[in-house]
Amino acid sequence: MLNENVSKLLNEQINKELFSAYLYLDFSNYYYDEGLDGFGNWFKIQAQEERDHAMLILQYMQNNGEKVKLTQIAGPDISYADHKIPLTEALKHEQFITASIHDIYDEALKTKDYRTTQFLDWFVQEQGEEEKNSEDLIKKYELFGTEAKSLYMLNSELGARTYAPPSLVLD
Ligand code: OFO
């Protein structure tokens, strides 16, 4: 059994992670449409990671005897004025998710739910890495994205990203 508020926030976080997957799939589709299949690949893999995050939280709740209630996932609503928009939107979104994870962490600490804070430690670290990845992508795009030849090379670099399952495994 988990604290009622912690359980509610974790349940909401499942939706946020699945929305993240939707959002990144939308970015991926946009880039594929634009002929930037490397960027498309990068975000498709990011979407897979977000789905993994949702599944980890779902598993954690089930392991603790909590009922999971799945709710409607909103459709992404981004207007893509240029190739940089998804990159800046991704950073904003990661910062939003980091704040959301921290809110759950605060609530768990308040109720001395150290099992949940320990579980969330992995997510705190993961968010740090994801914010850094987003910042790096923006920097690279600013340096190389506006010239055709260097954009081609950046696109190839991003196309080489492969999916790796999360390092956190729950039984
Ligand atoms: Fe779920 O990892 Fe970032 O958002």
Side-chain angles (χ1 to χ4, degrees), residues 26-44:
D26 204 55
F27 293 175
S28 172
N29 291 340
Y30 161 73
Y31 283 124
Y32 277 115
D33 279 348
E34 292 288 301
L36 288 169
D37 54 345
F39 285 74
N41 172 66
W42 200 93
F43 277 106
K44 201 198 288 182

Side-chain angles (χ1 to χ4, degrees), residues 13 16-17 20 24 46 49-50 53-54 93-94 97-98 123 126-127 130:
Q13 192 64 31
K16 289 178 187 170
E17 299 292 341
S20 305
Y24 293 147
Q46 195 58 37
E49 289 199 359
E50 298 302 346
H53 299 165
H93 185 70
E94 288 304 332
I97 293 292
T98 298
F123 284 85
E126 178 75 6
Q127 281 308 121
E130 293 194 342

Side-chain angles (χ1 to χ4, degrees), residues 4-97:
E4 200 182 324
N5 274 343
V6 170
S7 180
K8 182 174 160 285
L9 291 173
L10 285 170
N11 200 100
E12 286 168 7
Q13 192 64 31
I14 293 173
N15 185 287
K16 289 178 187 170
E17 299 292 341
L18 290 174
F19 174 74
S20 305
Y22 254 39
L23 184 67
Y24 293 147
L25 269 184
D26 204 55
F27 293 175
S28 172
N29 291 340
Y30 161 73
Y31 283 124
Y32 277 115
D33 279 348
E34 292 288 301
L36 288 169
D37 54 345
F39 285 74
N41 172 66
W42 200 93
F43 277 106
K44 201 198 288 182
I45 288 168
Q46 195 58 37
Q48 286 174 280
E49 289 199 359
E50 298 302 346
R51 180 212 52 204
D52 290 342
H53 299 165
M55 295 304 285
L56 281 168
I57 298 170
L58 184 146
Q59 185 68 54
Y60 177 76
M61 288 186 72
Q62 286 178 338
N63 288 357
N64 284 280
E66 295 297 312
K67 223 186 176 87
V68 173
K69 173 139 179 51
L70 295 178
T71 52
Q72 194 172 4
I73 304 165
D77 184 22
I78 306 285
S79 60
Y80 297 101
D82 60 52
H83 293 154
K84 194 178 164 189
I85 295 287
L87 309 180
T88 50
E89 288 296 324
L91 177 59
K92 265 197 258 168
H93 185 70
E94 288 304 332
Q95 289 165 340
F96 163 73
I97 293 292

